[in-house]
Amino acid sequence: MKSLLAENKAMSNLFKLDVFLSDCTFENEPDLLRSTLKAGIIARALAIYRVDRVVIYKGRRDKACSELGERLEKLLWYQVVPPYLKRKIIPRSPVYRYAGLLPPLQIDTHVVTDPPSIGEVRLGLVRGRAKEKLVVDVGLRSDVEVMVNGETGPRLRELVPVEFTGEGWRILKEGNVYLGFEVIYERDRNIVSLMRSYGGLRIGTSRLGFPAWEAGDKLVSSISPGSRVAVVFGEPYRGLREIVDEHGGRVEELFDFYLNFIPGQGTRTVRVEEALVAVLQTIIFLNHVYRSI
């Protein structure tokens, strides 16, 4: 397990990635089946590149996509919850009709054994507290006890990362194990409002932007270790400039970088799930290359 943790630490991002998606992301999908398949691809991309948070923003003034936004939120949340806790956390909903088609994320907290192996990391659902111990459901036949040593600890029904030591379970405090992404739906906030209050580097993605690799050195020098980086995507039928204009903003004001990550694209459009891979891979690649020079 030590080698696995070392590998995770070496591959972990030096910064926190926040991905912003419109609640209209599913508007070009004709039905729930197609939406579910797209959500599966999106979730895999988010997990592969160790995204910390995915924020769903209000794309239209009239909230025309609010129902689609809730669908996206539920499907992404369903995937990030470990298989051994899904039935205990996620309520039944028609949205999950095709959930069986979703590809597994296979992040560390999802790939577990029974009985657990030493060094195994799980997410546990806090069910209660007895003096210095938390009572936690980690998906085994019975709940386990986790020492908190006088600390306040998480509240009931919260998820907490725990590690099996061979003798028992302890709360995992190291940050080198990827636990998945947080899903936030900002139903009443558009991208202009969110970016104006964002406390980190802001990157807008667009085919109208400056070529990403030509800005590589400046981009990487703007990212400090431990900082947050927002990567913002448009909609199936509208780019970021159109969305920002509708909400009274300007891309030049909102974003520190407004970049084209796929210059000379061979297709008229690039779907969100395709752009995610190209954009996140480029950012992480440029970061590793320029920091090693």
Side-chain angles (χ1 to χ4, degrees):
M1 189 64 187
K2 288 184 179 179
S3 61
L4 175 59
L5 292 180
E7 180 183 354
N8 275 330
K9 188 172 184 179
M11 293 177 62
S12 62
N13 299 329
L14 297 174
F15 48 88
K16 297 291 187 181
L17 269 172
D18 298 328
V19 166
F20 287 74
L21 301 176
S22 170
D23 58 5
C24 296
T25 296
F26 284 157
E27 71 174 335
N28 63 331
E29 303 304 334
D31 50 39
L32 176 60
L33 173 59
R34 261 42 96 74
S35 296
T36 302
L37 296 175
K38 176 184 276 192
I41 299 171
I42 291 174
R44 285 283 299 176
L46 296 172
I48 287 170
Y49 296 105
R50 305 173 74 97
V51 168
D52 191 55
R53 297 187 303 197
V54 55
V55 181
I56 304 167
Y57 64 87
K58 184 179 73 170
R60 307 287 167 79
R61 283 184 175 180
D62 56 6
K63 297 185 179 181
C65 294
S66 59
E67 185 176 336
L68 294 178
E70 290 178 3
R71 178 184 296 180
L72 178 59
E73 176 192 27
K74 288 180 178 179
L75 288 172
L76 292 179
W77 171 238
Y78 181 91
Q79 290 174 92
V80 83
V81 172
Y84 47 84
L85 292 180
K86 278 184 169 54
R87 292 186 178 181
K88 302 169 185 178
I89 294 178
I90 300 177
R92 291 177 177 269
S93 170
V95 171
Y96 305 126
R97 179 178 180 183
Y98 301 108
L101 298 177
L102 291 169
L105 293 190
Q106 293 188 315
I107 59 179
D108 287 344
T109 53
H110 289 203
V111 184
V112 297
T113 59
D114 188 5
S117 56
I118 296 176
E120 183 171 290
V121 177
R122 294 189 181 215
L123 284 181
L125 177 65
V126 178
R127 291 192 175 276
R129 179 165 182 162
K131 295 183 179 180
E132 301 297 308
K133 297 179 180 179
L134 291 177
V135 179
V136 181
D137 183 350
V138 294
L140 298 173
R141 294 176 180 82
S142 58
D143 295 343
V144 302
E145 294 184 338
V146 181
M147 294 294 297
V148 289
N149 298 324
E151 301 174 8
T152 302
R155 295 173 293 181
L156 294 181
R157 302 295 297 175
E158 283 191 356
L159 293 175
V160 57
V162 294
E163 180 184 17
F164 185 63
T165 65
E167 298 178 354
W169 295 83
R170 71 176 186 93
I171 294 179
L172 183 72
K173 296 183 179 179
E174 295 85 351
N176 52 5
V177 176
Y178 181 61
L179 302 174
F181 48 84
E182 182 182 3
V183 184
I184 303 170
Y185 184 14
E186 295 282 6
R187 292 168 175 77
D188 299 314
R189 298 189 66 188
N190 58 59
I191 198 60
V192 174
S193 169
L194 289 168
M195 287 299 99
R196 283 176 176 167
S197 63
Y198 186 76
L201 189 71
R202 304 161 300 174
I203 302 174
T205 63
S206 171
R207 62 182 177 85
L208 304 176
F210 191 75
W213 45 80
E214 293 185 22
D217 192 8
K218 186 178 180 181
L219 174 64
V220 172
S221 64
S222 300
I223 302 175
S224 57
S227 64
R228 304 207 75 91
V229 176
V231 186
V232 186
F233 295 84
E235 301 169 356
Y237 301 124
R238 297 194 307 169
L240 267 186
R241 186 176 293 275
E242 294 173 85
I243 298 169
V244 168
D245 287 348
E246 179 183 342
H247 294 287
R250 296 174 59 250
V251 294
E252 294 81 7
E253 164 219 350
L254 284 187
F255 301 110
D256 301 297
F257 292 90
Y258 188 59
L259 302 175
N260 181 359
F261 288 84
I262 316 174
Q265 63 193 54
T267 56
R268 295 190 64 180
T269 59
V270 177
R271 297 167 66 92
V272 172
E273 61 271 31
E274 298 164 340
L276 265 172
V277 175
V279 171
L280 298 181
Q281 175 60 41
T282 302
I283 292 174
I284 292 172
F285 175 77
L286 290 174
N287 184 65
H288 282 290
V289 168
Y290 280 96
R291 290 192 187 279
S292 64
I293 295 176

